[in-house]
Amino acid sequence: MRSRYSAFALGLTDYLLATWHPSTRPAQLPADDATEWKRLEVLDSGEEGDRGRVHFRATFREGGRWALLEEHSRFVHEDGQWWYLDGDSAVHRLKPGRNAPCPCGSGRKFKACCGPV
Ligand SMILES: [Zn+2]
């Protein structure tokens, strides 16, 4: 399941569709070149029988704007692999201050990392 989020960050939409359960899979995903995925945190995950879940936060930048996607995803194990079913997600706008920790997770100040020059 974790591999799916690495793919997400890299924009590998073909892989995402291949691991998306046929019952909920969209016909296609829009190409999204404007979104730069900066950070992924898996907060919690678990399996119970053939059901799996992942709670994650992904930080991204679109142009000069930062935001956080938080999702509780559901998975099902079928035919020897985990399939993404669906999830409850919310997007929050981030407004990092110049001296705040950089939202990319580097541990440096925003102004000294990804912040505006
Ligand atoms: Zn940074």
Side-chain angles (χ1 to χ4, degrees), residues 55-76:
H55 177 198
F56 75 96
R57 272 200 302 238
T59 304
F60 62 96
R61 181 164 73 174
E62 274 174 348
R65 294 190 298 201
W66 288 78
L68 187 75
L69 166 71
E70 181 161 4
E71 181 173 313
H72 291 265
S73 306
R74 283 179 288 275
F75 291 79
V76 62

Side-chain angles (χ1 to χ4, degrees), residues 66 102-106 108-110 113-115:
W66 288 78
C102 190
C104 79
S106 67
R108 300 164 66 198
K109 287 182 179 178
F110 184 53
C113 189
C114 305

